[in-house]
Amino acid sequence: MAHRRTKVVALVVALVVVVAVGVGADRLWSTVRSQFASDTCTVGEYDLDPGQAGVAATMVGEVGKFDGGRLPDRAALLVLMAGLQESKLTDLASGDGDRDSVGVLQQRPSQGWGGSGSIEHRAEVLTDVGEATREFLAALVQVPHWRTVAPAKAIQAVQVSADGSAYAQHRSEAGVLAAAFLGRTPAGVSCSFDAPTEVAAPSRVAALASADLGIDTPRAAAGAVRVPGAHWQTAAWFVAYADRLGIEQVDYDGRRWTRTGGWRRAAGVGSGAVVATMYRKT
């Protein structure tokens, strides 16, 4: 993950160079501006790319569904800490990780992860972020005192990594991400990106949200998906997947998110439903 302060410092340095050079400054500034206009999702003081945000949203969604939704928020913290250390919240394909490790949690099919079947089949199974998360959680709840021991110790009992202490360094970031994607932090996830080139059908968006979050109320309509009774977790999921699905706007509880303006206060937006509006191609 990129800490936003790093980008700010780099931008300040670039501005100093523009001023100092003088000649050709317009061309240089255009280059600098393009470097900072890339697709980005912001969660608290941390920056993710949309792919990482989607992975985090799916992982936290699995926590909410597991064991009938009875897991504490701590489970989201732990699985995100693990994902940050193992892959930087990236769904790594077979061969892209260490030895035969695969997926966001770098689980090894040769060590029993991925269920039954051939090693190749297990590896394919583990590239499903939801399945990888479910297997982590199933192992986590078997760890004695996992709710109270040090987070890194609980994670290490599941992952059996070469250096279990490395997970601890991600506690602060994982805490911020968990609060945002669980919906504990209102309007906690914001993404910006260029106009989408592909826009999913509202029915597909509704189906994906239902599968990821375990909700059964999404209603697809012309150009929008409405989720009655949903809360900030659903809004965060829509924003995290907005780039890939072609979502232009999300409305909930007096606020509106857009891909160009982020979250802003919006009169007339109620709290009875989360509404995602799809991008309209011209």
Side-chain angles (χ1 to χ4, degrees):
M1 304 312 96
H3 195 290
R4 192 179 312 159
R5 189 176 302 149
T6 302
K7 289 191 173 185
V8 171
V9 170
L11 180 57
V12 170
V13 171
L15 287 171
V16 170
V17 171
V18 169
V19 173
V21 171
V23 179
D26 288 344
R27 181 178 301 175
L28 181 57
W29 171 242
S30 295
T31 301
V32 170
R33 183 173 56 186
S34 68
Q35 295 300 311
F36 288 86
S38 59
D39 299 347
T40 303
C41 294
T42 300
V43 184
E45 60 182 10
Y46 299 98
D47 291 333
L48 299 76
D49 65 42
Q52 293 169 313
V55 166
T58 294
M59 295 179 86
V60 173
E62 289 298 333
V63 172
K65 294 187 298 179
F66 194 86
D67 193 26
R70 288 187 287 270
L71 290 184
D73 290 2
R74 180 181 174 87
L77 170 72
L78 298 181
V79 76
L80 288 172
M81 286 174 65
L84 285 164
Q85 173 60 28
E86 299 290 357
S87 68
K88 297 182 179 179
L89 296 180
T90 303
D91 191 15
L92 296 175
S94 181
D96 289 344
D98 179 50
R99 291 179 285 186
D100 66 329
S101 300
V102 65
V104 63
L105 292 167
Q106 288 294 276
Q107 294 150 321
R108 299 183 62 190
S110 64
Q111 301 302 310
W113 295 101
S116 59
S118 67
I119 294 295
E120 292 75 15
H121 172 71
R122 294 180 186 181
E124 183 178 354
V125 166
L126 291 169
T127 58
D128 180 320
V129 174
E131 175 59 25
T133 304
R134 287 190 292 273
E135 293 197 20
F136 176 93
L137 295 173
L140 176 67
V141 297
Q142 300 303 315
V143 176
H145 311 297
W146 71 270
R147 297 169 184 254
T148 55
V149 299
K153 183 176 181 179
I155 297 168
Q156 175 64 358
V158 175
Q159 296 292 97
V160 194
S161 173
D163 181 10
S165 65
Y167 299 111
Q169 65 186 309
H170 302 289
R171 181 168 184 171
S172 293
E173 181 173 3
V176 172
L177 298 184
F181 285 106
L182 284 167
R184 309 297 186 231
T185 303
V189 181
S190 187
C191 299
S192 60
F193 49 89
D194 292 334
T197 56
E198 298 293 333
V199 180
S203 58
R204 177 168 178 259
V205 176
L208 289 172
S210 180
D212 258 18
L213 300 176
I215 52 180
D216 56 10
T217 58
R219 301 173 183 173
V225 178
R226 180 180 177 86
V227 191
H231 303 287
W232 281 112
Q233 181 176 6
T234 301
W237 188 94
F238 279 138
V239 173
Y241 276 98
D243 184 32
R244 273 178 283 179
L245 297 178
I247 296 172
E248 174 74 5
Q249 177 179 303
V250 177
D251 291 338
Y252 179 62
D253 197 19
R255 303 191 196 188
R256 170 170 294 158
W257 169 88
T258 62
R259 63 179 177 82
T260 56
W263 284 103
R264 297 181 179 179
R265 296 287 181 181
V269 173
S271 59
V274 176
V275 181
T277 303
M278 309 307 296
Y279 177 75
R280 293 186 180 182
K281 295 182 180 179
T282 56

